[in-house]
Amino acid sequence: MYYDADVSYDKECEVIHNVREQFGDMDMPVRLDIKNQARVHLWYEQHFGYTIQPYNSLEEAINTWPTTATALGVRRTEGGAWKVYAPFGLNDLFGLIVRANKVQITQEIYNNKVQRWRANWPGLRVIPWELN
């Protein structure tokens, strides 16, 4: 994920291509999901069924991500240090706890994600929507 004020589809495709080219020779068990958070509002309704306001920063986008454990960003500063942005902390991530962040998602979206994730990671501790 990244944030670029250029919300053109072509620019996002260029970034995706460059990132995949840089990491293409790495043997990774996950697929890189690269999205410009500045343009999410352009496709969100078609994908999820309702509109959202445009994000003004990557941090603003992360604040709305569907679960507390996935609301996480890491970037390298100009000085070379790593900076972690985790508005809900890291305990749920390291504890394998899935808890809804209800700022933007619906119960249906949460339940669909939980179902998919449980298939891949059976050890997850899922907090039901009603208890979040």
Side-chain angles (χ1 to χ4, degrees):
M1 304 302 166
Y2 70 100
Y3 187 91
D4 185 339
D6 181 345
V7 296
S8 70
Y9 180 76
D10 290 341
K11 177 64 176 182
E12 185 175 55
C13 286
E14 178 185 326
V15 170
I16 291 169
H17 173 76
N18 290 340
V19 170
R20 288 194 175 144
E21 191 172 274
Q22 287 178 3
F23 292 96
D25 61 345
M26 295 180 71
D27 184 25
M28 296 187 299
V30 296
R31 180 182 65 85
L32 294 177
D33 185 15
I34 305 148
K35 289 184 178 69
N36 181 2
Q37 296 297 294
R39 65 184 313 277
V40 169
H41 69 283
L42 299 174
W43 54 261
Y44 196 93
E45 180 177 16
Q46 183 177 1
H47 191 74
F48 292 107
Y50 57 95
T51 62
I52 62 169
Q53 293 298 311
Y55 299 125
N56 295 305
S57 68
L58 183 55
E59 291 79 9
E60 187 177 297
I62 291 171
N63 291 343
T64 70
W65 287 0
T67 68
T68 56
T70 60
L72 170 68
V74 179
R75 74 170 52 162
R76 198 147 191 198
T77 66
E78 289 183 22
W82 291 98
K83 181 179 178 184
V84 174
Y85 181 74
F88 304 102
L90 299 172
N91 288 341
D92 284 356
L93 175 66
F94 292 124
L96 299 175
I97 298 168
V98 180
R99 183 185 326 266
N101 173 15
K102 295 182 177 181
V103 169
Q104 187 162 279
I105 65 166
T106 64
Q107 183 174 0
E108 180 182 10
I109 292 169
Y110 178 69
N111 290 339
N112 288 340
K113 286 187 179 300
V114 165
Q115 184 177 12
R116 261 193 345 267
W117 293 349
R118 275 188 167 151
N120 292 322
W121 302 289
L124 293 177
R125 181 172 156 228
V126 176
I127 307 301
W129 176 268
E130 301 79 23
L131 300 179
N132 282 288

